[in-house]
Amino acid sequence: MTAPRTTTTARPNGQWAVDGKTPLNGNEAMKAADNGLNVRERIENVYAAQGFDSIADDDLHGRFRWWGLYTQRKPGIDGGRTATLEPHELEDRYFMLRVRVDGGALTTEQLRTIGAISTEFARDTADITDRHNIQLHWIGVEDVPEIWRRLEAVGLSTTEACGDVPRVILGSPVAGIAADEIIDPSWAIGEIVKRYIGDPELANLPRKFKTAITGHPSQDVVHEINDVGFVGLVHPELGVGFDLWVGGGLSVSPRLGERLGAFVSEERVPDVWLAVTSLFRDYGFRRLRTKARMKFLLAEWGAAKLRQVLQDEYLGYALPDGPPAPQPTRSGDQVGVHEQKDGRFYIGAAPYVGRVSGTILTAVADLAEGAGSHRIRLTPHQKLLVLDVPAEQVDAVVTGLRANNLEAEPSIFRRSTIACTGIEFCKLAIVETKATATRTIGSLEERLGDLGALTPISLNINGCPNSCARIQTADIGLKGQLVMDDDGAQVPGYQVHLGGGLASADREEAGLGRTVRGLKVTADGVPEYVERVVRRYVADRVETPAGPETFAVWAHRADEEALQ
């Protein structure tokens, strides 16, 4: 007699709408036990008074993130130990504090407040990130309540700047002022922040959830690599609105977002955003954190099913079909001097890979106000803009920014290089990034100075595989790891990605870079490698009706030997 056949079922993915809300891992159990937003009361009333040693582990390594706080890396721990040490062995007794700047929009009063907090509480540290945030370091838990008080007094916060929550909303840094703008998304961004950021119902997502909204034809918010994106366009029948994207993300499993083919009118943006976020909350995969981003749900369902569920279960109506937005018209980094639609000017300036200081931020606030401006913007490319500059003040502001290490007329490599935090502060990093990038920029300015007609080539440098610096979407992307030098010693270095990029004036569609087996470079060898591959590109590129082929096109067609 044969045994009865047993029916096997696939393991649950931890989707609330399918599998129920029973936690399937420690992180989900932590969130189920207490909403991350609730830790603020303990920080203010217990931890700030009793100090670092009083912090409960679930709060320190979990819920603190809901208020923009991560422990930073303890100095002196080399990258070879990143993967072998426990979190408590890697972490210092100080925090990185992330100030969220939705839409990248700051007043000079807000910028000055951040600058003062930096100089008083953060050892004068400050980094402009590639997600509109400003990050401070060396923060003690004892000082956090006072920092919050000062930030909130000027309309800023750290609420949900980290954690499994809706992160800062990327918005066009020239919203409302650019002469060539299609639609100003500021209202929609403001409504989403006002209605939903800090809402406990959206404070337990499967993982982080990233949003990008732009109405500028340069498509300046890297929407293709966000969980949800709204891109401005003119519908031939319905007028001005947004094209809806979902499911983008990089890290170790990169995937570009996809259009849902749906048109969203301006007044519907907050509701559609809520619907997409709620769908992710209910259907996103929670069993494995490595599969818990929107991109994995999109990969399983496909765009058509995701749109149908969105409409049927969350919106209650069908979105009209819509065309794609046109190809971008110009660079989206907004560097340089540009006329606004009111006749004044905005000035976009590049620090070295986002690294500034409290002293610099305060000086920029003073400089802007001296020129009659009270508005600053941050970009997703680690740049800073001063808005509303009268024509007669432009030269003075450009000169004043330069005196503060912010360059409105940068070299192509200073303009197009970004870097993540790296081993200096990040517990996940394997190699250093900021100083390496700065040295590389200076070296390339000398090495390639004879190539005067060279168009910008993006160089993105990341300290680990997680791609905070978007290595897969750069012309040259460097992923931090330990490599062997010529003497066989293990040293800091990078795996090389080539030919990636997002949609731009010279690239119709986004695409990921290619990797060549075994192509790695030591940290000290980065300038030499970049010079070598750029000179090979210049020698080999072909002319097209639109001009010389881009580095990305060349990198994808070149033989592996040419890329070494």
Side-chain angles (χ1 to χ4, degrees), residues 14 16 21-33 164 204-207 285-287 289 292:
W16 280 2
K21 294 186 177 182
T22 302
L24 299 181
N25 59 51
N27 195 76
E28 288 298 307
M30 177 272 293
K31 292 188 291 182
D164 297 350
N204 182 356
L205 303 180
R207 279 198 69 188
F285 304 148
R286 293 175 182 259
R287 181 171 65 87
R289 284 186 67 77

Side-chain angles (χ1 to χ4, degrees), residues 73-79 81 423-424:
R73 188 186 189 95
K74 188 181 298 181
I77 300 177
D78 66 67
R81 303 175 70 194
I423 203 170
E424 181 181 11

Side-chain angles (χ1 to χ4, degrees), residues 220-234:
D220 47 5
V221 294
V222 297
H223 64 277
E224 302 101 323
I225 55 173
N226 279 259
D227 295 282
V228 62
F230 297 83
V231 183
L233 81 163
V234 180

Side-chain angles (χ1 to χ4, degrees), residues 130-149:
D130 58 7
R131 287 203 61 81
H132 284 343
N133 300 302
I134 294 181
Q135 292 184 173
L136 310 176
H137 296 280
W138 299 108
I139 300 295
V141 70
E142 299 84 355
D143 297 321
V144 170
E146 174 61 14
I147 292 171
W148 281 339
R149 186 192 68 78

Side-chain angles (χ1 to χ4, degrees), residues 508-528:
E508 187 174 352
E509 294 183 348
L512 302 176
R514 66 181 286 197
T515 57
V516 176
R517 185 178 297 276
L519 179 52
K520 300 173 183 178
V521 60
T522 66
D524 291 341
V526 169
E528 180 182 355

Side-chain angles (χ1 to χ4, degrees), residues 177 340 342 344-346 371-375 386-390:
I177 59 110
Q340 300 177 180
D342 63 3
R344 293 179 292 178
F345 292 82
Y346 69 88
S373 169
H374 294 275
R375 293 197 293 173
V386 179
L387 307 188
D388 306 328
V389 179

Side-chain angles (χ1 to χ4, degrees), residues 36 45 49 71 77 85 97-98 188 220 223 244 305 339 415 444 499 523:
N45 297 326
T71 49
I77 300 177
L85 297 180
L97 178 67
R98 182 177 293 160
D220 47 5
H223 64 277
L244 180 60
K305 177 178 177 179
E339 187 170 3
R415 177 173 183 165
L444 292 174

